[in-house]
Amino acid sequence: MALSDTPLCPTALVFGVPCPGCGLTRATLALARGDLRAALGFHPLAPLLVPLLAFVFGQALLDYVRGTPPVSPARAWWAKRTAIWLASTLLVLLVTVWLARFAGYFGGPVAVESFHDRVTRSAPAGAP
């Protein structure tokens, strides 16, 4: 078994089920190539989540590079009512899409391989 064959998702590896974000990495790469159709196939929320996460990480990086002093958690932008509402809505959407994919919608269910599947597949024939 090569290192490149190792799944990156701990949820898939341990529990054998896809996580709510399964497909987001491939969808992000497809968006970076400009392939919206493939991105939607990998994860339908990618066109919404990828730019939002890029903004959040970009803002954090910019604050770090500028040397902006830390703000108390109560006064941070992410503690504002609008940001909390947006995050809650995105979480509900993410879980809804995850459950819908289990039911066969949005290209699901996503096939994953658990650690148990990997071990039994690589075990020699006749081994206990």
Side-chain angles (χ1 to χ4, degrees):
M1 171 172 49
L3 184 59
S4 63
D5 294 336
T6 305
L8 299 176
C9 180
T11 304
L13 184 63
V14 174
F15 300 113
V17 296
C19 69
C22 263
L24 277 174
T25 301
R26 290 173 290 162
T28 301
L29 294 173
L31 283 175
R33 289 190 312 267
D35 191 352
L36 180 62
R37 181 173 292 212
L40 288 171
F42 289 129
H43 200 287
L45 294 178
L48 178 67
L49 293 175
V50 170
L52 182 64
L53 290 175
F55 170 76
V56 169
F57 287 128
Q59 184 67 42
L61 180 63
L62 192 61
D63 287 346
Y64 178 77
V65 170
R66 286 183 181 162
T68 306
V71 178
S72 72
R75 296 186 55 207
W77 65 267
W78 44 264
K80 304 291 187 230
R81 185 178 302 255
T82 305
I84 292 171
W85 180 85
L86 178 64
S88 299
T89 302
L90 288 175
L91 180 62
V92 167
L93 277 173
L94 196 61
V95 170
T96 301
V97 167
W98 183 50
L99 294 173
R101 291 179 98 181
F102 275 117
Y105 299 100
F106 301 117
V110 178
V112 295
E113 186 177 34
S114 69
F115 184 70
H116 180 267
D117 295 337
R118 295 179 71 74
V119 169
T120 56
R121 185 187 69 198
S122 62

